[in-house]
Amino acid sequence: MKLSRWTLLSVVSLFISHQASAFFEGTFSLGFAAGITAADQGDMNELQSRANTREGGISTGQLGNAWEFAGIFQYRYSGSMLAIQLKPTYFFQSEDGKNAAGTSFEYGVSGWTIFPTAKFHMLESDTMKFYSQLAIGYGFASGTIKEEDASGSGNATVEFSGGDLGYLAGLGAEFCFTKSHCIMVEGNYRFLKISRVTSDKSSGTFDSDSISQSSGEVEYDNKDLSINLSGIQGYIGYVFHME
C-alpha cells in the first residue's frame, strides 16, 4: 500500500511531538545553600594597607572570604542527564574599625548574582548524585569606603556600585535520605570582575594616596577602582526534588 505525502507528514509530526513531549517531561526541584567565596578585593585591600601605614595602624582588617547565600530552582528533563538550574545568590564581606584617634575606617562589598546553569548528572543512584555544571550570568555589587578626612576631622566616604557578566564551572554531589530529600555539597570557580564602578554618594576629601576621584567613576591612582567577585566557592545546602 502506497502512503500519501500527507500520511508520511502526519506520522513524522506525531513522532516529533511525542519525542518533544517526552523530553519536556521532567521534575522540578527547589532548595537553598550557604557558603564561602574566596574573593580577594585587591583594590580595596591596597587602600586599607595604605591607610594602615598612613595612620600608624588601624583595627580594620582586609577583605578576604565573602559569605554567600543561594536559592536553587531547577528543572531536570525526564530520561536525560541534563538539568537547567537558576541559582540567585546574595553575597557580602565587610571590615570596619578605627585608628588610634577613634576615627572610623570601613571597607565593604555586597550584592547579588544570577547564573542560568547547565547541570550534567554524570553518575547517580537512589542515594547519591554526582554532577558537573557550567554557567554564564550577571553580578551586581555595591560597596563602601570610609576613611579619615584629609583635614583630620570626620570621615571621607564614597558609596559606589557596578555590574558585569561572569562565568562559572564546578562539581558537586547530592546525598539523598529519600528520593526527594537531599543534602548537596558543591565546589565552583566563578570568574566575575567588575572592572569599573560609579559613585552613588560621596562626602569629604580623601588623602592623596587614597581615592583620587569619588564622583562619576570611582578611581585611585587615577585608575578605575574594581570589585572582584571571582574565586573558589564552597557550598552546602538542601534540595527537595518534587516527584
Side-chain angles (χ1 to χ4, degrees):
M1 182 175 65
K2 187 175 181 181
L3 296 176
S4 69
R5 239 180 351 181
W6 299 112
T7 303
L8 287 172
L9 285 172
S10 298
V11 171
V12 171
S13 297
L14 284 171
F15 176 78
I16 292 173
S17 64
H18 173 75
Q19 295 300 315
S21 63
F23 182 75
F24 286 106
E25 288 176 357
T27 57
F28 287 95
S29 302
L30 299 173
F32 58 87
I36 292 175
T37 301
D40 181 20
Q41 299 299 332
D43 286 358
M44 296 177 74
N45 284 341
E46 172 63 23
L47 293 175
Q48 184 275 347
S49 179
R50 294 181 184 184
N52 191 55
T53 301
R54 183 173 66 244
E55 299 294 327
I58 59 176
S59 61
T60 312
Q62 294 207 330
L63 298 173
N65 295 330
W67 290 101
E68 194 149 352
F69 301 94
I72 298 169
F73 305 91
Q74 178 178 292
Y75 181 80
R76 183 174 180 182
Y77 299 104
S78 179
S80 170
M81 65 185 294
L82 174 65
I84 301 300
Q85 188 179 91
L86 195 64
K87 187 186 290 179
T89 73
Y90 172 77
F91 63 90
F92 69 92
Q93 55 186 157
S94 180
E95 293 286 342
D96 59 76
K98 299 179 184 295
N99 63 6
T103 306
S104 297
F105 284 74
E106 179 183 345
Y107 306 87
V109 176
S110 64
W112 54 265
T113 71
I114 186 163
F115 275 74
T117 303
K119 183 177 172 184
F120 305 96
H121 292 80
M122 302 179 294
L123 182 66
E124 59 185 324
S125 67
D126 290 338
T127 57
M128 292 185 293
K129 308 177 194 296
F130 295 96
Y131 58 87
S132 61
Q133 55 188 6
L134 296 170
I136 181 171
Y138 181 82
F140 180 87
S142 57
T144 300
I145 295 173
K146 181 187 289 185
E147 297 181 345
E148 185 177 45
D149 190 273
S151 66
S153 60
N155 282 111
T157 303
V158 61
E159 298 176 5
F160 49 86
S161 60
D164 212 336
L165 293 175
Y167 311 91
L168 180 146
L171 298 170
E174 294 180 14
F175 302 95
C176 302
F177 303 107
T178 68
K179 195 172 182 180
S180 297
H181 301 279
C182 303
I183 298 297
M184 57 83 78
V185 291
E186 195 173 278
N188 303 307
Y189 182 81
R190 181 174 67 200
F191 177 80
L192 176 52
K193 184 176 182 180
I194 302 172
S195 57
R196 182 175 298 171
V197 295
T198 56
S199 174
D200 299 318
K201 182 181 178 182
S202 65
S203 62
T205 303
F206 286 89
D207 277 280
S208 59
D209 65 345
S210 184
I211 296 295
S212 56
Q213 180 173 302
S214 59
S215 61
E217 294 178 0
V218 180
E219 299 180 351
Y220 80 102
D221 293 348
N222 297 311
K223 66 178 183 180
D224 292 325
L225 180 78
S226 65
I227 298 177
N228 180 42
L229 303 183
S230 300
I232 297 172
Q233 297 178 309
Y235 274 117
I236 184 168
Y238 166 77
V239 181
F240 173 67
H241 300 290
M242 293 180 280
E243 298 297 331

